[in-house]
Amino acid sequence: MFTVAEHLRLRNSHEGDAPFRRALYAATRDDLRQLPMSPQFIDNLISMQQKIHEDGQRNAFPRAQHWIVEYHDEAVGRVVFDMSGAEWRLVDIAIAPAARRQGVAGAVLRALQRRAAGQRAAISLAVAHGNDGARRLYAAAGFQPQVSDALRQQMLWQCPC
C-alpha cells in the first residue's frame, strides 16, 4: 500500500474486493448494455467478459501488482501495474464513474511516474483509439504515442531524469 496524494492511496486488491471490481468493470461496459438482450443475459455476458479480461491480464503479466484505488478509504478504482522489467507497464487503470474527472487518475499516474523515476524506469501502456479521455490524460501526463494497430495506440513515458 502507498499514499498517492492526500486521502488517496493504492492498496493490494484481495478477494473481498470482488463485488467492487465487478461493479467497476460493469460500469466500463456500456457497449454491452446497449445490446438488445435481457438484463440477465447482459449481466452474465459482463461477468464472463470480466473473467476473460482479468485472466488475460494475469496470464500476460503474471508479476503485475493489482491495486485498489481508495479515496477517503472508499474504493474508487483499480490499477494493474507491472514493475518486473526494465520498462514498466501500466496494464490497466479504471476509475468509477462517480470519481472520474476529479484528478484521481492523474494523481495515480503521477505517483507511478515518481516511483518509476526513482528507478529510472520508463512506463508503457496501450490505449484504445476510441478512448479519447484516456488518451488526453496520458498525453497530459507526458506519455508519447508509439506504434499503433487497428485497436490500440501504444504510449511511452520516459523519465526526464
Side-chain angles (χ1 to χ4, degrees), residues 77-98:
R78 79 178 194 70
V79 176
V80 179
F81 195 64
D82 188 351
M83 299 177 283
S84 64
E87 182 178 288
W88 294 1
R89 182 74 173 186
L90 178 58
V91 178
D92 195 16
I93 183 170
I95 305 299

Side-chain angles (χ1 to χ4, degrees), residues 107-147:
V108 169
L109 284 175
R110 288 188 297 278
L112 297 176
Q113 289 169 319
R114 284 191 302 275
R115 186 174 266 199
Q119 299 296 313
R120 296 194 174 288
I123 301 173
S124 64
L125 58 84
V127 60
H129 288 298
N131 193 344
D132 294 332
R135 292 166 59 88
R136 283 190 300 274
L137 172 71
Y138 299 139
F143 284 82
Q144 299 296 313
Q146 303 295 301
V147 297

Side-chain angles (χ1 to χ4, degrees), residues 24-37:
L24 181 61
Y25 184 80
T28 68
R29 296 310 306 257
D30 286 339
D31 59 328
L32 297 179
R33 295 222 178 270
Q34 303 302 319
L35 294 174
M37 308 289 182

Side-chain angles (χ1 to χ4, degrees), residues 3-157:
T3 300
V4 172
E6 187 175 358
H7 305 295
L8 186 64
R9 68 183 182 142
L10 299 178
R11 66 161 174 82
N12 289 328
S13 181
H14 52 74
E15 281 306 310
D17 295 316
F20 170 73
R21 289 194 322 267
R22 186 195 185 311
L24 181 61
Y25 184 80
T28 68
R29 296 310 306 257
D30 286 339
D31 59 328
L32 297 179
R33 295 222 178 270
Q34 303 302 319
L35 294 174
M37 308 289 182
S38 73
Q40 181 180 1
F41 179 87
I42 301 245
D43 286 344
N44 289 337
L45 181 60
I46 288 172
S47 291
M48 286 187 294
Q49 289 292 312
Q50 178 189 8
K51 181 172 178 11
I52 291 166
H53 179 78
E54 289 181 357
D55 288 350
Q57 289 176 342
R58 281 191 170 78
N59 288 333
F61 301 96
R63 297 178 65 194
Q65 301 292 312
H66 296 257
W67 293 315
I68 296 296
V69 181
E70 289 186 338
Y71 184 63
H72 289 284
D73 297 321
E74 180 182 340
V76 297
R78 79 178 194 70
V79 176
V80 179
F81 195 64
D82 188 351
M83 299 177 283
S84 64
E87 182 178 288
W88 294 1
R89 182 74 173 186
L90 178 58
V91 178
D92 195 16
I93 183 170
I95 305 299
R100 291 180 190 158
R101 296 186 186 6
Q102 296 180 31
V104 172
V108 169
L109 284 175
R110 288 188 297 278
L112 297 176
Q113 289 169 319
R114 284 191 302 275
R115 186 174 266 199
Q119 299 296 313
R120 296 194 174 288
I123 301 173
S124 64
L125 58 84
V127 60
H129 288 298
N131 193 344
D132 294 332
R135 292 166 59 88
R136 283 190 300 274
L137 172 71
Y138 299 139
F143 284 82
Q144 299 296 313
Q146 303 295 301
V147 297
S148 184
D149 63 23
L151 299 176
R152 293 176 200 86
Q153 173 78 59
Q154 300 295 322
M155 299 184 84
L156 181 69
W157 174 84

